[in-house]
Amino acid sequence: VSLNLIMLGAPGAGKGTQAERIARERGIPKISTGDILREAVAAGTELGRRVKATMEQGQLVSDELMIAIVRDRLAREDARRGFVLDGFPRTVAQALSLDEIMRGRDPLIVADLAVAEADLVRRLANRLVCGSCGTNAVVDAAGNAPKSCQQCGGPLVQRKDDNEAVVRERLQVYQRQTKPLLDFYRSRPTFREVDGAQSPERVAADLSAAVDSALKQITSTQGAGR
Ligand SMILES: [Zn+2]
């Protein structure tokens, strides 16, 4: 059974890091929408040219274009044995298209990294960046930030877009958009919620166990269907 994993989670929930980690552990590609948009533009394909034009006009990439790009990417050889999708789908319309794209392949597993809003606000408001080189400061497991930049020794400052009002607004937008998506996936037997308010190591272990239980679920269902 292929691990076809979708990662959901609010900004600050640690989704990108966990997606990266499980993809590496399982030897499958992590596919983030930001990366595939950049790849498509760099490759200069027809789709890439359309993405470039859209972004140059300062507009959001449309659902239709995004879906076409994901379809393309998931058809590539390295994604046939599984993938971790990060940042897609964002809407129910995209989720429906993804089901269409996945027809004939192993079922999707959906993992939601759940973190309470108060924790997210605290995490995001504490996010520091180097004032000289822009590198993100890495906070240790106990939540302590370093005194200066680990790359260049420069002074650490709060990220411009990370003050509390902006953070709350971003979270509200996320919740408004994502609630219908969670409702769409929640009733599936391969939906798993993972407690994201733990240390990254604990989250990784829980995510791994959740994924294995969903894979087992798929295997038993497929076995019963034969
Ligand atoms: Zn620096």
Side-chain angles (χ1 to χ4, degrees):
V1 179
S2 309
L3 172 51
N4 301 327
L5 177 65
I6 301 174
M7 297 276 297
L8 301 177
K15 178 166 60 83
T17 312
Q18 295 295 339
E20 188 88 54
R21 186 164 176 163
I22 193 158
R24 197 174 51 234
E25 281 170 12
R26 308 283 171 135
I28 51 179
K30 177 204 159 201
I31 299 175
S32 87
T33 46
D35 290 346
I36 55 178
L37 288 175
R38 277 188 292 275
E39 271 175 33
V41 170
T45 56
E46 164 62 25
L47 283 173
R49 281 196 295 276
R50 285 173 59 197
V51 171
K52 190 163 179 235
T54 309
M55 294 197 308
E56 277 170 0
Q57 290 159 20
Q59 289 171 349
L60 281 177
V61 176
S62 69
D63 260 13
E64 178 234 343
L65 188 50
M66 199 64 235
I67 288 160
I69 291 203
V70 169
R71 183 190 301 278
D72 240 40
R73 180 63 187 86
L74 295 185
R76 292 218 323 241
E77 191 54 37
D78 66 337
R80 301 303 304 182
R81 287 181 306 106
F83 54 80
V84 181
L85 249 184
D86 171 19
F88 187 94
R90 275 192 204 284
T91 63
V92 172
Q94 290 181 351
L96 287 165
S97 302
L98 184 59
D99 281 343
E100 183 78 29
I101 292 170
M102 292 301 293
R103 193 169 289 170
R105 298 173 69 165
D106 287 323
L108 292 166
I109 294 172
V110 182
D112 179 41
L113 282 194
V115 180
E117 181 172 326
D119 287 330
L120 289 173
V121 170
R122 194 169 38 78
R123 279 192 198 181
L124 289 171
N126 288 336
R127 205 146 67 162
L128 298 172
V129 65
C130 173
S132 307
C133 73
T135 302
N136 285 320
V138 179
V139 174
D140 69 19
N144 298 314
K147 298 262 180 295
S148 56
C149 175
Q150 288 116 313
Q151 289 293 323
C152 75
L156 296 176
V157 296
Q158 196 176 63
R159 275 171 49 140
K160 253 205 282 339
D161 58 348
D162 274 359
N163 72 64
E164 189 169 325
V166 176
V167 165
R168 282 199 188 278
E169 171 63 26
R170 253 162 70 203
L171 289 177
Q172 271 159 19
V173 169
Y174 173 81
Q175 256 133 21
R176 210 159 44 228
Q177 280 184 343
T178 315
K179 175 93 180 26
L181 192 60
L182 280 175
D183 293 342
F184 178 81
Y185 282 130
R186 201 181 289 281
S187 60
R188 295 193 180 184
T190 53
F191 177 89
R192 296 290 183 279
E193 186 175 288
V194 173
D195 178 6
Q198 315 176 81
S199 71
E201 280 64 36
R202 294 293 283 275
V203 175
D206 282 5
L207 176 62
S208 195
V211 159
D212 286 336
S213 95
L215 284 170
K216 200 181 261 176
Q217 162 83 35
I218 293 170
T219 311
S220 70
T221 313
Q222 286 178 345
R226 260 175 216 133

